Amino acid sequence: MLKTFLRALLKPFSFIPAILMMYLIFSFSSQDGTASGNLSYKVSEVIVESANEAFELHWSDGDIAYYIERIHYPVRKLAHMTEYFLLAISVSFPLYVYGIRGLWLPILAGGLCVGFAALDEYHQSFVAGRGPSKKDVGIDSIGVLAGVLLVQFICFIGRVTIFRPLAKRRRS
Protein backbone atom coordinates (compact mmCIF):
# COMPACT_ATOMS: atom_id res chain seq x y z
CA MET A 1 0.00 0.00 0.00
CA LEU A 2 2.73 2.48 1.02
CA LYS A 3 4.90 1.40 -1.90
CA THR A 4 2.08 2.11 -4.37
CA PHE A 5 1.40 5.47 -2.75
CA LEU A 6 5.08 6.46 -2.94
CA ARG A 7 5.30 5.41 -6.61
CA ALA A 8 2.23 7.47 -7.48
CA LEU A 9 3.67 10.42 -5.57
CA LEU A 10 7.18 10.21 -7.05
CA LYS A 11 6.34 9.29 -10.67
CA PRO A 12 5.64 12.89 -11.75
CA PHE A 13 9.09 13.90 -10.47
CA SER A 14 10.63 11.71 -13.18
CA PHE A 15 9.94 14.57 -15.62
CA ILE A 16 12.14 17.04 -13.69
CA PRO A 17 15.32 16.21 -15.68
CA ALA A 18 13.42 16.83 -18.94
CA ILE A 19 12.14 20.17 -17.68
CA LEU A 20 15.62 21.17 -16.54
CA MET A 21 17.08 20.16 -19.91
CA MET A 22 14.44 22.23 -21.72
CA TYR A 23 15.32 25.19 -19.52
CA LEU A 24 19.02 24.74 -20.26
CA ILE A 25 18.39 24.60 -24.03
CA PHE A 26 16.11 27.63 -23.84
CA SER A 27 18.72 29.59 -21.89
CA PHE A 28 21.44 28.75 -24.43
CA SER A 29 19.10 29.87 -27.20
CA SER A 30 18.45 33.13 -25.38
CA GLN A 31 22.09 34.15 -25.69
CA ASP A 32 22.76 36.68 -28.42
CA GLY A 33 24.80 35.63 -31.44
CA THR A 34 28.08 36.96 -30.06
CA ALA A 35 27.76 35.25 -26.65
CA SER A 36 26.74 31.97 -28.26
CA GLY A 37 29.62 32.10 -30.72
CA ASN A 38 32.11 32.99 -27.99
CA LEU A 39 31.00 30.03 -25.86
CA SER A 40 31.48 27.50 -28.63
CA TYR A 41 34.74 29.19 -29.65
CA LYS A 42 36.07 28.75 -26.09
CA VAL A 43 35.10 25.07 -26.18
CA SER A 44 36.90 24.68 -29.52
CA GLU A 45 39.93 26.44 -28.05
CA VAL A 46 40.03 24.06 -25.07
CA ILE A 47 39.78 21.04 -27.38
CA VAL A 48 42.60 22.18 -29.67
CA GLU A 49 44.90 23.28 -26.86
CA SER A 50 44.27 20.04 -24.94
CA ALA A 51 45.07 17.99 -28.05
CA ASN A 52 48.23 20.03 -28.60
CA GLU A 53 49.41 19.37 -25.05
CA ALA A 54 48.25 15.75 -24.77
CA PHE A 55 49.87 14.64 -28.03
CA GLU A 56 52.87 16.99 -27.70
CA LEU A 57 52.26 18.44 -31.16
CA HIS A 58 54.11 21.73 -30.51
CA TRP A 59 51.79 23.76 -32.74
CA SER A 60 52.48 27.45 -33.24
CA ASP A 61 49.89 30.04 -32.20
CA GLY A 62 48.93 30.33 -35.88
CA ASP A 63 48.38 26.58 -36.15
CA ILE A 64 46.28 26.58 -32.99
CA ALA A 65 44.14 29.45 -34.31
CA TYR A 66 43.73 27.62 -37.63
CA TYR A 67 42.53 24.41 -35.98
CA ILE A 68 40.21 26.29 -33.63
CA GLU A 69 38.52 27.92 -36.63
CA ARG A 70 38.46 24.58 -38.41
CA ILE A 71 36.56 22.75 -35.65
CA HIS A 72 34.40 25.64 -34.43
CA TYR A 73 31.43 24.88 -36.70
CA PRO A 74 31.40 21.10 -36.00
CA VAL A 75 31.66 21.81 -32.26
CA ARG A 76 28.58 24.07 -32.45
CA LYS A 77 26.58 21.43 -34.31
CA LEU A 78 27.76 18.64 -32.02
CA ALA A 79 26.57 20.76 -29.07
CA HIS A 80 23.11 20.92 -30.69
CA MET A 81 23.04 17.15 -31.11
CA THR A 82 24.24 16.56 -27.56
CA GLU A 83 21.64 18.86 -26.01
CA TYR A 84 18.82 17.10 -27.82
CA PHE A 85 20.31 13.66 -27.20
CA LEU A 86 20.13 14.40 -23.47
CA LEU A 87 16.64 15.88 -23.83
CA ALA A 88 15.42 12.76 -25.64
CA ILE A 89 16.80 10.54 -22.88
CA SER A 90 15.27 12.69 -20.15
CA VAL A 91 11.88 12.65 -21.91
CA SER A 92 11.92 8.96 -22.90
CA PHE A 93 12.62 7.42 -19.48
CA PRO A 94 9.63 9.04 -17.72
CA LEU A 95 7.36 8.09 -20.61
CA TYR A 96 8.64 4.54 -20.28
CA VAL A 97 7.94 4.66 -16.53
CA TYR A 98 4.37 5.68 -17.34
CA GLY A 99 4.00 2.59 -19.53
CA ILE A 100 4.59 4.00 -23.01
CA ARG A 101 6.50 1.29 -24.81
CA GLY A 102 7.19 -0.19 -28.21
CA LEU A 103 6.71 2.01 -31.25
CA TRP A 104 4.79 4.63 -29.28
CA LEU A 105 7.82 5.59 -27.19
CA PRO A 106 9.99 6.87 -30.08
CA ILE A 107 6.96 8.45 -31.76
CA LEU A 108 5.85 10.37 -28.67
CA ALA A 109 9.28 11.20 -27.21
CA GLY A 110 10.71 12.00 -30.63
CA GLY A 111 7.72 14.13 -31.54
CA LEU A 112 7.93 16.10 -28.30
CA CYS A 113 11.67 16.70 -28.66
CA VAL A 114 11.60 17.61 -32.36
CA GLY A 115 8.62 19.88 -31.69
CA PHE A 116 10.62 21.55 -28.93
CA ALA A 117 13.56 21.95 -31.33
CA ALA A 118 11.31 23.67 -33.87
CA LEU A 119 9.85 25.97 -31.20
CA ASP A 120 13.33 26.72 -29.94
CA GLU A 121 14.48 27.74 -33.43
CA TYR A 122 11.42 29.98 -33.68
CA HIS A 123 12.38 31.48 -30.31
CA GLN A 124 15.83 32.26 -31.71
CA SER A 125 14.25 34.48 -34.36
CA PHE A 126 13.56 36.98 -31.55
CA VAL A 127 17.14 36.95 -30.20
CA ALA A 128 19.68 39.51 -31.44
CA GLY A 129 22.22 38.03 -33.83
CA ARG A 130 20.40 34.70 -34.05
CA GLY A 131 17.90 33.26 -36.45
CA PRO A 132 15.84 30.13 -37.04
CA SER A 133 17.41 27.31 -39.03
CA LYS A 134 15.69 24.23 -40.44
CA LYS A 135 19.16 22.67 -40.67
CA ASP A 136 19.56 23.00 -36.89
CA VAL A 137 16.20 21.27 -36.34
CA GLY A 138 17.49 18.44 -38.54
CA ILE A 139 20.73 18.25 -36.55
CA ASP A 140 18.76 18.32 -33.30
CA SER A 141 16.60 15.50 -34.65
CA ILE A 142 19.67 13.31 -35.12
CA GLY A 143 20.44 13.75 -31.42
CA VAL A 144 16.81 13.01 -30.55
CA LEU A 145 16.84 9.81 -32.62
CA ALA A 146 20.07 8.63 -30.99
CA GLY A 147 18.72 9.38 -27.49
CA VAL A 148 15.40 7.62 -28.05
CA LEU A 149 17.11 4.59 -29.59
CA LEU A 150 19.50 4.39 -26.65
CA VAL A 151 16.61 4.41 -24.18
CA GLN A 152 14.79 1.75 -26.21
CA PHE A 153 17.95 -0.38 -26.20
CA ILE A 154 18.60 0.07 -22.48
CA CYS A 155 14.99 -0.73 -21.60
CA PHE A 156 15.04 -3.82 -23.83
CA ILE A 157 18.28 -5.07 -22.30
CA GLY A 158 16.90 -4.39 -18.82
CA ARG A 159 13.74 -6.36 -19.54
CA VAL A 160 15.71 -9.30 -20.92
CA THR A 161 18.52 -9.44 -18.37
CA ILE A 162 17.26 -7.97 -15.11
CA PHE A 163 13.49 -7.87 -14.89
CA ARG A 164 12.56 -11.12 -16.64
CA PRO A 165 14.58 -13.24 -14.17
CA LEU A 166 12.98 -11.31 -11.29
CA ALA A 167 9.50 -11.95 -12.67
CA LYS A 168 10.26 -15.67 -12.98
CA ARG A 169 11.40 -15.81 -9.33
CA ARG A 170 8.22 -14.07 -8.11
CA ARG A 171 5.98 -16.57 -9.94
CA SER A 172 7.78 -19.58 -8.45
Side-chain angles (χ1 to χ4, degrees), residues 104-169:
W104 287 107
L105 181 64
I107 289 171
L108 187 57
L112 286 169
C113 293
V114 172
F116 185 78
L119 287 172
D120 186 53
E121 288 300 319
Y122 177 70
H123 161 249
Q124 286 183 27
S125 68
F126 300 106
V127 177
R130 306 283 299 264
S133 169
K134 291 177 187 174
K135 184 178 183 180
D136 281 351
V137 175
I139 291 168
D140 299 341
S141 298
I142 294 168
V144 169
L145 177 65
V148 170
L149 290 177
L150 178 67
V151 170
Q152 286 276 64
F153 179 73
I154 290 171
C155 292
F156 172 76
I157 295 298
R159 280 194 317 267
V160 171
T161 60
I162 298 170
F163 299 113
R164 185 174 291 157
L166 289 176
K168 286 179 183 176
R169 276 191 225 147

Side-chain angles (χ1 to χ4, degrees), residues 2 5 7 11 42 49-50 68 75 106 152 159 165 168:
L2 180 63
F5 174 74
R7 274 192 187 150
K11 257 180 152 179
K42 286 178 187 173
E49 289 176 354
S50 297
I68 290 170
V75 165
Q152 286 276 64
R159 280 194 317 267
K168 286 179 183 176

Side-chain angles (χ1 to χ4, degrees), residues 38-148:
N38 287 342
L39 180 62
S40 59
Y41 188 86
K42 286 178 187 173
V43 171
S44 301
E45 190 174 29
V46 167
I47 292 169
V48 170
E49 289 176 354
S50 297
N52 187 34
E53 289 175 24
F55 298 113
E56 299 176 4
L57 300 170
H58 309 291
W59 287 334
S60 68
D61 289 343
D63 290 337
I64 290 173
Y66 169 76
Y67 288 117
I68 290 170
E69 285 299 323
R70 187 105 192 256
I71 71 165
H72 183 236
Y73 182 77
V75 165
R76 285 182 68 84
K77 299 310 166 189
L78 189 59
H80 269 266
M81 284 177 49
T82 304
E83 289 173 341
Y84 282 90
F85 173 79
L86 295 173
L87 178 63
I89 290 171
S90 63
V91 167
S92 296
F93 274 123
L95 292 176
Y96 188 86
V97 166
Y98 273 94
I100 297 170
R101 308 241 163 88
L103 187 59
W104 287 107
L105 181 64
I107 289 171
L108 187 57
L112 286 169
C113 293
V114 172
F116 185 78
L119 287 172
D120 186 53
E121 288 300 319
Y122 177 70
H123 161 249
Q124 286 183 27
S125 68
F126 300 106
V127 177
R130 306 283 299 264
S133 169
K134 291 177 187 174
K135 184 178 183 180
D136 281 351
V137 175
I139 291 168
D140 299 341
S141 298
I142 294 168
V144 169
L145 177 65
V148 170

